[in-house]
Amino acid sequence: MNDRITSVRLSSVRLPLDVPISDAKVLTGRQRPMTEVAMLFAEIATAQGHEGLGFGYSKRAGGPGQFAHAVEIAPDLLGEDPSDIPRLWEKLVWSGASVGRSGLSIQAIAAMDIALWDLKARRAGLPLAKLLGAHRDSVRCYNTSGGFLHAPIEQVLENASAALERGIGGIKIKVGQPDTRADLARVEAVRAHLGDAVPLMVDANQQWDRPTARRMGRAMEEYGLTWIEEPLDAYDHEGHAALVSCLDTPVATGEMLTSVAEHAALIRAGAADILQPDAPRIGGITPFLRLTALAEHHRLQLAPHFAMEIHLHLAAAYDQEPWVEHFEWLEPLFDERIEIVAGRMAVPSRPGLGLTLSEQAVKWTVDQAVIA
């Protein structure tokens, strides 16, 4: 054993959002507007003085539960060799196996797993993408945060223009409103504003039934969309597969799934043209790499969900040209910023994820535990 883990610092941080956020789940009465994001940070240190930083998150509910589960299982990392990441991931999974191998229990592991990968890359003096084996030094990016349904269409158009001026390459807007005519009018307005050359995506956030999804998918064919995202319930693999078969527009889904096994079922069903896994939701980088190996085998496109600070590195290591989703929400938590030029995010040259926690993140901390 060359090194050993001596401490794990876990922090629960409440990140406030500037305005309450609404997508179709709010307009259909299934959720309340989102006002904050619960972050779980893990800082891992070793006997030889190496450190790694990782994080996970939860929207609306689940943050305290993730923190509590992480605190309960983190002692199992003490004394272990930080290089043995897949073995340690399995050890943490089995520490909490009685509450399952998906959902909150797996998401609580993500921050620690990501911290271990960050530590390994920092120790090697490499950006994480380079440690994993990068196919590219930058990745196509699109903006989502400017296209939510709480914003009137005039604001959405202004947000889209601002994103393009910043160098972002594509625009995604939310749809899935109770009035489908309002959705079509929204898409038509954005396409007219952007012109035909700018990639445009739409996201229904699981709010259509099968007949509505078919009808809306066909109606939107004329707008040349890059993809239609989550047209159906996330676990309706059969329905998504039928849409893949009948629409020219690619179908994207996967962000709500919380394990590799759930994604594998999605892939077996032929239910996605574009896979959208979320590393913090499926347990970290270790399961994400297992999933992308499967996705590569099936020649699927990749567009990871949220957490661009992590997914930029993972997308850069994917064999086919991927997309990364731009959200500026997490930026106040870190001292560094990602460079965006000519429609692409540049992989940072700094070792690991290239992130350090800001003073603001410390101020937003609501709970903390040090396991040593």
Side-chain angles (χ1 to χ4, degrees):
M1 183 182 295
N2 296 321
D3 200 0
R4 61 185 181 86
I5 296 171
T6 55
S7 69
V8 181
R9 179 187 299 271
L10 297 168
S11 302
S12 177
V13 176
R14 292 286 178 172
L15 169 65
L17 300 177
D18 292 337
V19 297
I21 303 298
S22 295
D23 58 22
K25 297 187 294 293
V26 174
L27 271 65
T28 55
R30 291 182 169 177
Q31 289 183 338
R32 296 186 302 274
M34 182 168 55
T35 58
E36 63 182 14
V37 180
M39 306 296 300
L40 172 61
F41 286 98
E43 298 168 85
I44 295 178
T46 74
Q48 292 185 2
H50 299 293
E51 297 180 347
L53 171 67
F55 68 88
Y57 73 94
S58 180
K59 297 177 180 179
R60 295 182 174 87
Q66 286 184 8
F67 177 76
H69 190 69
V71 169
E72 197 169 8
I73 62 176
D76 285 348
L77 291 177
L78 297 180
E80 291 282 8
D81 188 331
S83 295
D84 299 340
I85 303 175
R87 182 180 65 80
L88 296 181
W89 189 87
E90 294 288 346
K91 185 177 184 181
L92 292 175
V93 168
W94 284 103
S95 295
S98 65
V99 290
R101 284 187 273 178
S102 65
L104 185 149
S105 62
I106 287 296
Q107 292 168 9
I109 294 171
M112 292 178 280
D113 179 81
I114 293 166
L116 288 170
W117 281 102
D118 180 58
L119 187 155
K120 188 172 187 177
R122 289 192 194 193
R123 187 177 59 203
L126 294 172
L128 178 61
K130 293 294 185 183
L131 180 77
L132 298 176
H135 284 269
R136 57 196 65 82
D137 293 324
S138 65
V139 180
R140 294 182 296 182
C141 62
Y142 68 96
N143 177 263
T144 293
S145 55
F148 277 83
L149 291 173
H150 64 268
I153 187 60
E154 295 79 12
Q155 184 63 55
V156 171
L157 299 182
E158 290 181 15
N159 293 343
S161 294
L164 296 178
E165 289 172 6
R166 182 175 176 178
I168 291 168
I171 300 296
K172 187 172 79 180
I173 65 168
K174 299 291 186 173
V175 293
Q177 301 174 83
D179 183 354
T180 56
R181 294 170 299 179
D183 279 342
L184 292 173
R186 199 171 182 88
V187 175
E188 182 176 13
V190 176
R191 175 50 84 199
H193 179 74
L194 297 176
D196 293 335
V198 176
L200 175 62
M201 305 83 165
V202 302
D203 183 359
N205 286 111
Q206 309 178 72
Q207 298 309 292
W208 291 332
D209 57 25
R210 292 185 184 184
T212 303
R214 286 195 301 271
R215 186 165 58 251
M216 293 297 286
R218 289 166 181 158
M220 290 183 181
E221 296 278 23
E222 66 176 287
Y223 300 115
L225 301 177
T226 301
W227 69 68
I228 296 175
E229 184 171 329
E230 283 196 323
L232 300 169
D233 183 275
Y235 292 91
D236 184 3
H237 301 339
E238 184 180 72
H240 277 101
L243 289 177
V244 168
S245 298
C246 75
L247 296 179
D248 291 335
T249 303
V251 174
T253 190
E255 68 177 67
M256 296 304 297
L257 305 184
T258 61
S259 69
V260 174
E262 291 173 358
H263 279 276
L266 180 79
I267 293 171
R268 284 196 301 271
D273 296 298
I274 301 168
L275 202 63
Q276 297 185 296
D278 184 318
R281 281 186 176 164
I282 65 172
I285 292 170
T286 298
F288 192 97
L289 296 176
R290 295 172 182 172
L291 175 57
T292 52
L294 183 61
E296 287 176 356
H297 177 71
H298 286 83
R299 310 310 300 163
L300 292 174
Q301 296 183 57
L302 186 72
H305 169 256
F306 200 57
M308 63 185 185
E309 294 82 0
I310 297 168
H311 291 133
L312 171 57
H313 291 269
L314 302 181
Y318 193 65
D319 71 339
Q320 297 185 62
E321 182 70 47
W323 285 93
V324 171
E325 186 172 27
H326 176 268
F327 272 91
E328 70 280 359
W329 293 357
L330 305 188
E331 288 182 340
L333 297 169
F334 308 108
D335 290 329
E336 300 81 8
R337 296 293 178 268
I338 294 173
E339 182 183 4
I340 301 173
V341 179
R344 304 180 71 87
M345 285 186 191
V347 175
S349 59
R350 300 178 297 273
L353 292 173
L355 299 173
T356 52
L357 287 177
S358 67
E359 292 184 5
Q360 184 63 72
V362 175
K363 292 177 181 177
W364 284 332
T365 300
V366 295
D367 206 349
Q368 193 170 82
V370 178
I371 294 91

